[in-house]
Amino acid sequence: MKKVCPIFLGIAACGAVSAAPFTYDVDPEHTYPSFEADHMGLSIWRGKFNKTTGKVTLDKAAGRGTVEVMIDLASIDFGHDKLNDWARSPEFFDIAKYPQASYKGKLAGFAMGVPTRVAGELTLHGVTKPLALKINSFKCIPHPLFKRELCGADAAGTFKRDDFGLDAGKSFGFKMDVPLRIQVEALRTD
């Protein structure tokens, strides 16, 4: 017997698959928030964080979603051991008191099911401030091994580190602007 659905019940009520948000776990092996830090106007130090976790929700059809990334500040990596130790110390990040930074936001500006920006907030050194990210690339594919959807993105933004109480070197002419990039991959949980 063929199922007949009255128009007023809507497609979802008739058993058709409706779009819904899906949840994705951030892959810590393929996610590296990175940044640039000025050194007295002479050079740029580049670094990254090697340990991150998080979740993404995504509803492509409805054009909405969320992102949450937690960053282990002890995993900072400038490629310079003494600088890494200093950044972890009470003189800068003070990881004993503030072990984690986080970024939480809403995916926005969807075009053909793909977000183009994130409206969010960065929490760093006990301070939370708005931080918008531009999504430079975003793509989802079937994961070849796990047979679930895998999405990846490259997002970028800039913040002033002294807004977060991280003003070391300011009196020596260090610029406070910090370009931030978050390269992220996340695997659908279901």
Side-chain angles (χ1 to χ4, degrees):
M1 175 187 243
K2 187 174 180 180
K3 187 174 182 180
V4 178
C5 296
I7 284 268
F8 63 86
L9 287 178
I11 295 171
C14 295
V17 176
S18 63
F22 292 104
T23 301
Y24 302 76
D25 284 332
V26 168
D27 178 354
E29 299 296 321
H30 293 90
T31 301
Y32 296 98
S34 60
F35 59 91
E36 296 179 352
D38 174 70
H39 188 255
M40 295 190 288
L42 299 171
S43 62
I44 301 292
W45 282 90
R46 290 176 177 85
K48 63 179 179 144
F49 294 96
N50 293 322
K51 292 183 182 175
T52 56
T53 58
K55 293 220 178 277
V56 176
T57 62
L58 180 61
D59 186 337
K60 294 177 194 174
R64 65 178 174 246
T66 61
V67 61
E68 182 173 355
V69 176
M70 283 70 62
I71 302 162
D72 177 356
L73 294 177
S75 72
I76 192 166
D77 185 358
F78 278 103
H80 187 284
D81 291 340
K82 286 184 180 179
L83 186 55
N84 294 343
D85 290 341
W86 175 83
R88 292 180 190 113
S89 79
E91 292 181 56
F92 200 66
F93 284 135
D94 193 1
I95 64 166
K97 189 173 181 180
Y98 307 105
Q100 190 176 63
S102 65
Y103 183 79
K104 297 178 184 180
K106 293 184 179 184
L107 299 171
F110 279 74
M112 298 183 344
V114 174
T116 61
R117 64 183 192 280
V118 186
E121 293 181 327
L122 175 65
T123 299
L124 178 62
H125 205 246
V127 178
T128 301
K129 297 275 185 182
L131 177 60
L133 298 177
K134 177 184 176 199
I135 297 177
N136 298 312
S137 65
F138 185 94
K139 182 178 179 179
C140 296
I141 63 168
H143 193 288
L145 300 176
F146 298 117
K147 308 302 182 203
R148 289 181 277 152
E149 187 174 47
L150 175 69
C151 295
D154 175 71
T158 301
F159 66 93
K160 291 189 169 292
R161 65 182 173 88
D162 57 338
D163 286 349
F164 296 87
L166 301 171
D167 61 358
K170 187 174 183 176
S171 63
F172 296 115
F174 285 64
K175 295 175 187 167
M176 296 291 106
D177 292 336
V178 177
L180 172 68
R181 292 190 80 133
I182 300 177
Q183 298 81 21
V184 61
E185 292 184 18
L187 187 62
R188 199 164 115 183
T189 58
D190 52 3

Short mmCIF file of all heavy atoms in Angstrom, two decimals, residues 56-104:
data_model
loop_
_atom_site.label_atom_id
_atom_site.label_comp_id
_atom_site.label_asym_id
_atom_site.label_seq_id
_atom_site.Cartn_x
_atom_site.Cartn_y
_atom_site.Cartn_z
N VAL A 56 31.53 20.79 16.82
CA VAL A 56 30.88 21.64 15.82
C VAL A 56 29.49 21.07 15.60
O VAL A 56 29.33 19.85 15.54
CB VAL A 56 31.68 21.64 14.49
CG1 VAL A 56 30.95 22.44 13.42
CG2 VAL A 56 33.09 22.17 14.71
N THR A 57 28.50 21.94 15.48
CA THR A 57 27.19 21.50 14.99
C THR A 57 26.97 22.20 13.67
O THR A 57 27.40 23.34 13.47
CB THR A 57 26.04 21.85 15.97
OG1 THR A 57 25.96 23.26 16.11
CG2 THR A 57 26.24 21.18 17.31
N LEU A 58 26.31 21.50 12.76
CA LEU A 58 26.13 22.04 11.43
C LEU A 58 24.80 21.58 10.85
O LEU A 58 24.51 20.39 10.83
CB LEU A 58 27.28 21.57 10.52
CG LEU A 58 27.27 22.02 9.07
CD1 LEU A 58 27.35 23.54 8.95
CD2 LEU A 58 28.44 21.37 8.32
N ASP A 59 24.02 22.54 10.42
CA ASP A 59 22.77 22.29 9.70
C ASP A 59 22.88 23.06 8.39
O ASP A 59 22.57 24.24 8.32
CB ASP A 59 21.57 22.76 10.53
CG ASP A 59 20.24 22.39 9.90
OD1 ASP A 59 20.19 22.17 8.67
OD2 ASP A 59 19.25 22.32 10.65
N LYS A 60 23.37 22.37 7.37
CA LYS A 60 23.62 23.02 6.08
C LYS A 60 22.33 23.57 5.46
O LYS A 60 22.31 24.66 4.91
CB LYS A 60 24.28 22.04 5.11
CG LYS A 60 25.67 21.63 5.52
CD LYS A 60 26.21 20.60 4.54
CE LYS A 60 27.42 19.92 5.10
NZ LYS A 60 27.88 18.83 4.24
N ALA A 61 21.25 22.79 5.54
CA ALA A 61 19.99 23.20 4.91
C ALA A 61 19.42 24.45 5.57
O ALA A 61 18.91 25.34 4.88
CB ALA A 61 18.98 22.06 4.98
N ALA A 62 19.51 24.54 6.88
CA ALA A 62 18.97 25.70 7.59
C ALA A 62 19.96 26.86 7.64
O ALA A 62 19.60 27.97 8.02
CB ALA A 62 18.58 25.30 9.01
N GLY A 63 21.21 26.60 7.27
CA GLY A 63 22.22 27.65 7.27
C GLY A 63 22.58 28.12 8.67
O GLY A 63 22.62 29.32 8.94
N ARG A 64 22.86 27.15 9.54
CA ARG A 64 23.26 27.53 10.90
C ARG A 64 24.16 26.45 11.49
O ARG A 64 24.20 25.32 11.03
CB ARG A 64 22.06 27.80 11.78
CG ARG A 64 21.19 26.60 12.04
CD ARG A 64 20.03 26.96 12.98
NE ARG A 64 19.16 25.83 13.10
CZ ARG A 64 17.90 25.79 12.67
NH1 ARG A 64 17.39 26.84 12.09
NH2 ARG A 64 17.19 24.71 12.83
N GLY A 65 24.84 26.85 12.55
CA GLY A 65 25.70 25.91 13.25
C GLY A 65 26.48 26.62 14.33
O GLY A 65 26.40 27.84 14.48
N THR A 66 27.21 25.84 15.09
CA THR A 66 28.03 26.39 16.17
C THR A 66 29.40 25.73 16.14
O THR A 66 29.58 24.66 15.58
CB THR A 66 27.39 26.12 17.56
OG1 THR A 66 27.28 24.71 17.75
CG2 THR A 66 26.03 26.78 17.68
N VAL A 67 30.33 26.39 16.77
CA VAL A 67 31.69 25.85 16.89
C VAL A 67 32.20 26.15 18.29
O VAL A 67 31.91 27.21 18.85
CB VAL A 67 32.63 26.43 15.82
CG1 VAL A 67 32.76 27.93 15.93
CG2 VAL A 67 33.99 25.79 15.86
N GLU A 68 32.89 25.19 18.87
CA GLU A 68 33.52 25.37 20.17
C GLU A 68 34.86 24.65 20.14
O GLU A 68 34.91 23.45 19.91
CB GLU A 68 32.63 24.80 21.27
CG GLU A 68 33.19 24.99 22.65
CD GLU A 68 32.22 24.57 23.75
OE1 GLU A 68 31.08 24.20 23.46
OE2 GLU A 68 32.66 24.60 24.91
N VAL A 69 35.92 25.42 20.35
CA VAL A 69 37.27 24.87 20.34
C VAL A 69 37.95 25.24 21.65
O VAL A 69 37.94 26.41 22.05
CB VAL A 69 38.10 25.41 19.14
CG1 VAL A 69 39.53 24.92 19.20
CG2 VAL A 69 37.45 25.03 17.82
N MET A 70 38.48 24.24 22.35
CA MET A 70 39.22 24.45 23.57
C MET A 70 40.70 24.19 23.28
O MET A 70 41.04 23.19 22.68
CB MET A 70 38.75 23.51 24.69
CG MET A 70 37.44 23.94 25.35
SD MET A 70 35.97 23.78 24.34
CE MET A 70 35.91 22.06 24.03
N ILE A 71 41.53 25.11 23.75
CA ILE A 71 42.96 25.06 23.46
C ILE A 71 43.74 24.88 24.75
O ILE A 71 43.58 25.66 25.69
CB ILE A 71 43.40 26.36 22.76
CG1 ILE A 71 42.60 26.57 21.48
CG2 ILE A 71 44.89 26.36 22.49
CD1 ILE A 71 42.63 27.99 20.94
N ASP A 72 44.58 23.86 24.80
CA ASP A 72 45.45 23.61 25.94
C ASP A 72 46.67 24.53 25.79
O ASP A 72 47.53 24.30 24.93
CB ASP A 72 45.87 22.13 25.94
CG ASP A 72 46.83 21.78 27.04
OD1 ASP A 72 47.27 22.68 27.81
OD2 ASP A 72 47.18 20.59 27.15
N LEU A 73 46.73 25.57 26.62
CA LEU A 73 47.80 26.56 26.49
C LEU A 73 49.19 26.00 26.79
O LEU A 73 50.18 26.53 26.31
CB LEU A 73 47.51 27.78 27.37
CG LEU A 73 46.27 28.57 26.96
CD1 LEU A 73 46.03 29.72 27.94
CD2 LEU A 73 46.40 29.10 25.54
N ALA A 74 49.26 24.91 27.55
CA ALA A 74 50.56 24.27 27.82
C ALA A 74 51.16 23.68 26.55
O ALA A 74 52.36 23.42 26.50
CB ALA A 74 50.41 23.19 28.88
N SER A 75 50.34 23.50 25.52
CA SER A 75 50.83 22.89 24.28
C SER A 75 51.39 23.91 23.29
O SER A 75 51.64 23.59 22.14
CB SER A 75 49.71 22.08 23.62
OG SER A 75 48.73 22.93 23.05
N ILE A 76 51.63 25.14 23.77
CA ILE A 76 52.17 26.18 22.89
C ILE A 76 53.50 25.73 22.29
O ILE A 76 54.31 25.08 22.95
CB ILE A 76 52.33 27.53 23.63
CG1 ILE A 76 52.61 28.65 22.60
CG2 ILE A 76 53.39 27.45 24.71
CD1 ILE A 76 52.46 30.03 23.17
N ASP A 77 53.70 26.05 21.02
CA ASP A 77 54.91 25.62 20.33
C ASP A 77 55.38 26.70 19.36
O ASP A 77 54.84 26.86 18.28
CB ASP A 77 54.63 24.31 19.58
CG ASP A 77 55.87 23.72 18.94
OD1 ASP A 77 56.96 24.32 19.03
OD2 ASP A 77 55.74 22.65 18.33
N PHE A 78 56.39 27.45 19.80
CA PHE A 78 57.03 28.45 18.94
C PHE A 78 58.17 27.82 18.14
O PHE A 78 58.78 28.48 17.32
CB PHE A 78 57.63 29.59 19.78
CG PHE A 78 56.66 30.65 20.21
CD1 PHE A 78 56.20 30.68 21.51
CD2 PHE A 78 56.25 31.64 19.34
CE1 PHE A 78 55.33 31.67 21.94
CE2 PHE A 78 55.39 32.63 19.75
CZ PHE A 78 54.93 32.66 21.06
N GLY A 79 58.50 26.56 18.46
CA GLY A 79 59.70 25.97 17.89
C GLY A 79 60.95 26.46 18.62
O GLY A 79 62.05 26.38 18.11
N HIS A 80 60.77 26.96 19.84
CA HIS A 80 61.85 27.53 20.63
C HIS A 80 61.54 27.23 22.10
O HIS A 80 60.65 27.85 22.69
CB HIS A 80 61.90 29.04 20.38
CG HIS A 80 63.05 29.75 21.00
ND1 HIS A 80 63.12 30.04 22.35
CD2 HIS A 80 64.18 30.25 20.44
CE1 HIS A 80 64.24 30.69 22.59
NE2 HIS A 80 64.91 30.83 21.46
N ASP A 81 62.22 26.27 22.69
CA ASP A 81 61.89 25.77 24.03
C ASP A 81 61.86 26.85 25.10
O ASP A 81 60.95 26.87 25.94
CB ASP A 81 62.85 24.65 24.45
CG ASP A 81 62.65 23.38 23.63
OD1 ASP A 81 61.57 23.21 23.03
OD2 ASP A 81 63.58 22.54 23.59
N LYS A 82 62.84 27.74 25.12
CA LYS A 82 62.87 28.78 26.15
C LYS A 82 61.69 29.74 26.02
O LYS A 82 61.11 30.17 27.02
CB LYS A 82 64.19 29.55 26.11
CG LYS A 82 65.36 28.76 26.65
CD LYS A 82 66.62 29.59 26.68
CE LYS A 82 67.78 28.75 27.22
NZ LYS A 82 69.03 29.50 27.25
N LEU A 83 61.33 30.07 24.80
CA LEU A 83 60.17 30.95 24.57
C LEU A 83 58.88 30.24 24.96
O LEU A 83 57.98 30.85 25.55
CB LEU A 83 60.13 31.41 23.11
CG LEU A 83 59.07 32.44 22.76
CD1 LEU A 83 59.17 33.68 23.65
CD2 LEU A 83 59.19 32.83 21.29
N ASN A 84 58.79 28.95 24.67
CA ASN A 84 57.61 28.17 25.09
C ASN A 84 57.47 28.20 26.61
O ASN A 84 56.37 28.41 27.13
CB ASN A 84 57.71 26.71 24.63
CG ASN A 84 57.68 26.55 23.13
OD1 ASN A 84 57.27 27.44 22.40
ND2 ASN A 84 58.13 25.40 22.67
N ASP A 85 58.58 27.97 27.32
CA ASP A 85 58.55 27.97 28.79
C ASP A 85 58.13 29.34 29.32
O ASP A 85 57.34 29.44 30.25
CB ASP A 85 59.92 27.59 29.37
CG ASP A 85 60.27 26.12 29.13
OD1 ASP A 85 59.34 25.32 28.86
OD2 ASP A 85 61.47 25.79 29.22
N TRP A 86 58.68 30.41 28.74
CA TRP A 86 58.31 31.75 29.17
C TRP A 86 56.82 32.01 28.94
O TRP A 86 56.13 32.55 29.81
CB TRP A 86 59.14 32.80 28.43
CG TRP A 86 58.68 34.19 28.77
CD1 TRP A 86 59.03 34.93 29.86
CD2 TRP A 86 57.75 34.97 28.02
NE1 TRP A 86 58.36 36.14 29.83
CE2 TRP A 86 57.57 36.18 28.72
CE3 TRP A 86 57.04 34.76 26.84
CZ2 TRP A 86 56.72 37.18 28.26
CZ3 TRP A 86 56.18 35.75 26.38
CH2 TRP A 86 56.03 36.95 27.10
N ALA A 87 56.30 31.61 27.78
CA ALA A 87 54.88 31.84 27.46
C ALA A 87 53.96 31.10 28.43
O ALA A 87 52.87 31.58 28.73
CB ALA A 87 54.58 31.42 26.02
N ARG A 88 54.40 29.96 28.95
CA ARG A 88 53.60 29.20 29.92
C ARG A 88 53.66 29.81 31.32
O ARG A 88 52.81 29.55 32.15
CB ARG A 88 54.11 27.76 29.99
CG ARG A 88 53.88 26.95 28.75
CD ARG A 88 54.42 25.52 28.93
NE ARG A 88 54.42 24.82 27.68
CZ ARG A 88 55.51 24.43 27.02
NH1 ARG A 88 56.71 24.64 27.52
NH2 ARG A 88 55.40 23.80 25.87
N SER A 89 54.67 30.61 31.59
CA SER A 89 54.95 31.11 32.93
C SER A 89 53.93 32.17 33.37
O SER A 89 53.16 32.69 32.57
CB SER A 89 56.36 31.71 32.96
OG SER A 89 56.34 33.01 32.37
N PRO A 90 53.99 32.54 34.67
CA PRO A 90 53.12 33.61 35.17
C PRO A 90 53.36 34.96 34.48
O PRO A 90 52.50 35.83 34.53
CB PRO A 90 53.48 33.70 36.66
CG PRO A 90 53.98 32.33 37.00
CD PRO A 90 54.70 31.86 35.75
N GLU A 91 54.50 35.11 33.81
CA GLU A 91 54.78 36.36 33.10
C GLU A 91 53.90 36.55 31.87
O GLU A 91 53.77 37.67 31.38
CB GLU A 91 56.24 36.41 32.67
CG GLU A 91 57.22 36.53 33.82
CD GLU A 91 58.64 36.61 33.33
OE1 GLU A 91 58.94 37.51 32.52
OE2 GLU A 91 59.44 35.75 33.74
N PHE A 92 53.31 35.44 31.37
CA PHE A 92 52.48 35.59 30.17
C PHE A 92 51.16 34.83 30.34
O PHE A 92 50.24 35.32 30.96
CB PHE A 92 53.24 35.18 28.91
CG PHE A 92 52.62 35.75 27.66
CD1 PHE A 92 52.62 37.11 27.43
CD2 PHE A 92 52.02 34.92 26.73
CE1 PHE A 92 52.03 37.65 26.29
CE2 PHE A 92 51.42 35.45 25.59
CZ PHE A 92 51.43 36.81 25.37
N PHE A 93 51.03 33.62 29.82
CA PHE A 93 49.75 32.89 29.91
C PHE A 93 49.38 32.49 31.33
O PHE A 93 48.21 32.39 31.65
CB PHE A 93 49.77 31.63 29.03
CG PHE A 93 49.60 31.89 27.57
CD1 PHE A 93 50.41 31.24 26.65
CD2 PHE A 93 48.64 32.76 27.08
CE1 PHE A 93 50.27 31.46 25.29
CE2 PHE A 93 48.48 32.98 25.73
CZ PHE A 93 49.30 32.33 24.83
N ASP A 94 50.38 32.24 32.16
CA ASP A 94 50.14 31.78 33.53
C ASP A 94 49.23 30.55 33.52
O ASP A 94 48.12 30.54 34.05
CB ASP A 94 49.50 32.89 34.37
CG ASP A 94 49.52 32.59 35.86
OD1 ASP A 94 50.04 31.52 36.27
OD2 ASP A 94 49.00 33.42 36.64
N ILE A 95 49.75 29.47 32.89
CA ILE A 95 48.92 28.28 32.68
C ILE A 95 48.51 27.58 33.97
O ILE A 95 47.53 26.84 33.96
CB ILE A 95 49.59 27.27 31.71
CG1 ILE A 95 50.88 26.71 32.29
CG2 ILE A 95 49.80 27.90 30.34
CD1 ILE A 95 51.39 25.50 31.56
N ALA A 96 49.19 27.84 35.07
CA ALA A 96 48.74 27.27 36.35
C ALA A 96 47.38 27.86 36.72
O ALA A 96 46.52 27.17 37.26
CB ALA A 96 49.76 27.53 37.44
N LYS A 97 47.19 29.12 36.40
CA LYS A 97 45.92 29.80 36.72
C LYS A 97 44.93 29.74 35.56
O LYS A 97 43.72 29.62 35.77
CB LYS A 97 46.22 31.26 37.08
CG LYS A 97 45.03 32.01 37.63
CD LYS A 97 45.45 33.38 38.12
CE LYS A 97 44.26 34.13 38.70
NZ LYS A 97 44.65 35.46 39.18
N TYR A 98 45.42 29.85 34.33
CA TYR A 98 44.58 29.86 33.13
C TYR A 98 45.07 28.79 32.15
O TYR A 98 45.77 29.10 31.18
CB TYR A 98 44.63 31.22 32.44
CG TYR A 98 44.31 32.38 33.34
CD1 TYR A 98 45.33 33.23 33.79
CD2 TYR A 98 43.01 32.65 33.75
CE1 TYR A 98 45.05 34.31 34.61
CE2 TYR A 98 42.71 33.72 34.57
CZ TYR A 98 43.74 34.54 35.00
OH TYR A 98 43.46 35.62 35.81
N PRO A 99 44.75 27.53 32.38
CA PRO A 99 45.31 26.45 31.56
C PRO A 99 44.71 26.33 30.16
O PRO A 99 45.29 25.70 29.29
CB PRO A 99 44.99 25.19 32.37
CG PRO A 99 43.78 25.56 33.17
CD PRO A 99 43.92 27.02 33.48
N GLN A 100 43.59 26.98 29.95
CA GLN A 100 42.87 26.77 28.69
C GLN A 100 42.37 28.08 28.10
O GLN A 100 42.00 29.00 28.83
CB GLN A 100 41.68 25.84 28.96
CG GLN A 100 40.98 25.33 27.76
CD GLN A 100 39.88 24.34 28.15
OE1 GLN A 100 38.93 24.69 28.83
NE2 GLN A 100 40.03 23.10 27.74
N ALA A 101 42.38 28.16 26.79
CA ALA A 101 41.70 29.23 26.05
C ALA A 101 40.57 28.56 25.30
O ALA A 101 40.60 27.34 25.05
CB ALA A 101 42.67 29.91 25.09
N SER A 102 39.56 29.33 24.93
CA SER A 102 38.46 28.75 24.16
C SER A 102 37.93 29.75 23.16
O SER A 102 38.05 30.96 23.33
CB SER A 102 37.33 28.27 25.08
OG SER A 102 36.73 29.37 25.73
N TYR A 103 37.36 29.19 22.11
CA TYR A 103 36.67 30.00 21.11
C TYR A 103 35.30 29.37 20.91
O TYR A 103 35.20 28.17 20.62
CB TYR A 103 37.42 30.06 19.78
CG TYR A 103 36.71 30.97 18.81
CD1 TYR A 103 36.84 32.34 18.90
CD2 TYR A 103 35.87 30.45 17.83
CE1 TYR A 103 36.15 33.19 18.03
CE2 TYR A 103 35.19 31.28 16.97
CZ TYR A 103 35.33 32.65 17.08
OH TYR A 103 34.64 33.48 16.23
N LYS A 104 34.25 30.17 21.07
CA LYS A 104 32.87 29.70 20.88
C LYS A 104 32.17 30.67 19.96
O LYS A 104 32.27 31.89 20.13
CB LYS A 104 32.13 29.63 22.21
CG LYS A 104 32.73 28.65 23.18
CD LYS A 104 31.99 28.66 24.51
CE LYS A 104 32.68 27.73 25.49
NZ LYS A 104 32.00 27.69 26.79
#
